[in-house]
Amino acid sequence: MGKNKKSIYILVVSNFLICLGIGLVIPVTPFIKNEFHYTTSQMGVMTSLFAFAQFVASPIVGKMSDKVGRKPVIVIGLFTYAISEFIFAVATSLPIFNISRVIGGLSAAMVVPTSMALGSDLTTLKERAKVIGWLSAAFSGGLILGPGLGGILAGITYKTPFYFAGALGIISAIFTLFLLKENKEVLEEEALEAEKKAQEQGSIKSILTLPMVMLFGMILVSSFGLQGFESIYSIYVNQVFNFGLSTIALVLTLNGIISLILQVAAFNWIINKIGEMRLISIAFLLSAVCVFWITQAHSHVEVIVATLIIFSSFDLLRPAITTLLTKSSRSNQGLINGMNMSLTSIGNVIGPLMSGALMDWNTHYPYLVVTVILAASYLLTFVVRKHPIVPAE
């Protein structure tokens, strides 16, 4: 990383703050549902609107960041995120909640893939897995440590976590604006290289090789299953196992600690030992088995153990897929990460809608369907492994 180490550290800290803000609101979801007498389907639509906006904006934002630079896009995205949280805090009707989620989805499209692209810009292939692991640890660590703090803040009023999340968004934006330095010399050189390749091959066509298409397909199928599980988790364990706010926050906080250890200390080592595709395959298998286990569980301990395994698998799965994608090309990093986020968002739109509707029908149906989807994703990894992606220097 060399002279870019400071910029990478700033990027990690900034993303941790915004994801901490997102995580703050997770334990409040069941309360909002009960307070306003919404159905699980309505909560699913609310979650899907966030993902739909992310889906529409991600490829556009990704290509834009390749041209105008990563930093301006990230800063605007952080400010936009803060606005969405403040709107959610003052909302008292379903349309306003939904508008807030649309704005939040736009902000996520600006921040997440662009941060990954900038991390790729500032590293060599050898260092890529380590840096992607750090950024993923910042994302998931903030997302999962946040509920613990969110549970405490919600004790004041359910709106407090949203105001606090908005404040973190502003702090992150200011932090990034004044302290993050892009390696302009490297970025300009890569921009020229990207432009040259785009003229020769066409930007989108250059990444639509058979291995890449298959990997993008796996991202689409897997994200559908992942969000089918995650989007209703708090509501599911609250209704089925009577988990309270403090218990949900405790489980997610424990997972945050495990996730940080796995991604910061172990991810790069695991990738070097078994490779991205084998790790992806194992993560899908473990998550499929444990989601089914939860539907058959009879004690809180079983649910907690299965949950920790599932979320840990997800937390290794995401950076593994991202690392594999970023190794495919030195140019078009914004476009590749934008495509990744866009396809993920399609699954994020369908997953919560499916789970919300199925849960209103029968409590266990969403997780039985998710088990099948994750098992199918596991089988798909064997097909993808027959057509490996060759890293681009």
Side-chain angles (χ1 to χ4, degrees), residues 70-358:
R70 318 296 188 201
K71 181 176 174 178
V73 175
I74 294 172
V75 171
I76 293 171
L78 291 170
F79 276 118
T80 304
Y81 163 76
I83 292 170
S84 75
E85 291 302 312
F86 289 137
I87 293 175
F88 205 90
V90 301
T92 55
S93 66
L94 191 59
I96 303 301
F97 279 124
N98 287 339
I99 288 171
S100 168
R101 293 301 81 194
V102 169
I103 297 173
L106 293 174
S107 72
M110 287 186 270
V111 173
V112 179
T114 311
S115 296
M116 288 295 185
L118 182 55
S120 299
D121 291 335
L122 300 176
T123 56
T124 63
L125 267 178
K126 186 177 180 181
E127 300 165 333
R128 188 78 46 81
K130 182 190 294 184
V131 173
I132 295 298
W134 288 354
L135 287 171
S136 296
F139 294 140
S140 54
L143 283 172
I144 302 172
L145 289 174
L149 181 57
I152 296 172
L153 293 173
I156 304 172
T157 166
Y158 83 89
K159 293 186 175 185
T160 305
F162 299 99
Y163 284 119
F164 195 83
L168 283 181
I170 292 176
I171 292 170
S172 300
I174 295 172
F175 195 76
T176 304
L177 178 63
F178 290 104
L179 297 180
L180 180 66
K181 302 291 184 184
E182 288 186 279
N183 188 339
K184 293 184 178 177
E185 189 175 305
V186 172
L187 292 178
E188 287 172 4
E189 183 180 324
E190 292 192 348
L192 289 173
E193 182 184 344
E195 186 178 346
K196 183 179 177 182
K197 288 188 176 181
Q199 289 174 347
E200 292 174 355
Q201 304 171 356
S203 294
I204 300 236
K205 289 182 180 179
S206 68
I207 65 171
L208 293 183
T209 60
L210 178 60
M212 289 291 285
V213 169
M214 296 181 72
L215 187 58
F216 281 135
M218 190 175 69
I219 290 168
L220 175 60
V221 174
S222 65
S223 63
F224 175 57
L226 299 187
Q227 271 304 303
F229 175 81
E230 290 181 328
S231 63
I232 61 165
Y233 177 76
S234 295
I235 297 172
Y236 181 87
V237 295
N238 175 257
Q239 288 186 10
V240 179
F241 298 102
N242 296 315
F243 277 25
L245 189 66
S246 58
T247 305
I248 294 172
L250 174 63
V251 172
L252 296 178
T253 301
L254 279 174
N255 179 66
I257 296 170
I258 295 171
S259 172
L260 288 173
I261 294 172
L262 285 174
Q263 291 182 333
V264 174
F267 179 70
N268 195 50
W269 179 83
I270 295 172
I271 291 298
N272 288 335
K273 285 290 183 181
I274 66 175
E276 290 90 355
M277 277 310 308
R278 193 173 295 276
L279 174 57
I280 291 168
S281 182
I282 293 170
F284 275 132
L285 178 61
L286 286 175
S287 58
V289 170
C290 289
V291 170
F292 181 74
W293 182 16
I294 285 181
T295 67
Q296 307 301 310
H298 297 288
S299 70
H300 283 197
V301 173
E302 288 182 78
V303 176
I304 291 171
V305 171
T307 298
L308 293 177
I309 295 174
I310 292 165
F311 277 120
S312 295
S313 297
F314 290 173
D315 292 335
L316 288 174
L317 181 64
R318 292 186 182 102
I321 292 176
T322 302
T323 302
L324 197 57
L325 280 172
T326 59
K327 284 182 176 180
S328 65
S329 173
R330 282 299 292 173
S331 61
N332 294 323
Q333 286 295 319
L335 178 60
I336 289 171
N337 282 281
M339 287 283 289
N340 180 6
M341 184 58 62
S342 184
L343 289 166
T344 299
S345 296
I346 295 176
N348 291 354
V349 170
I350 302 171
L353 290 174
M354 175 205 72
S355 290
L358 288 175

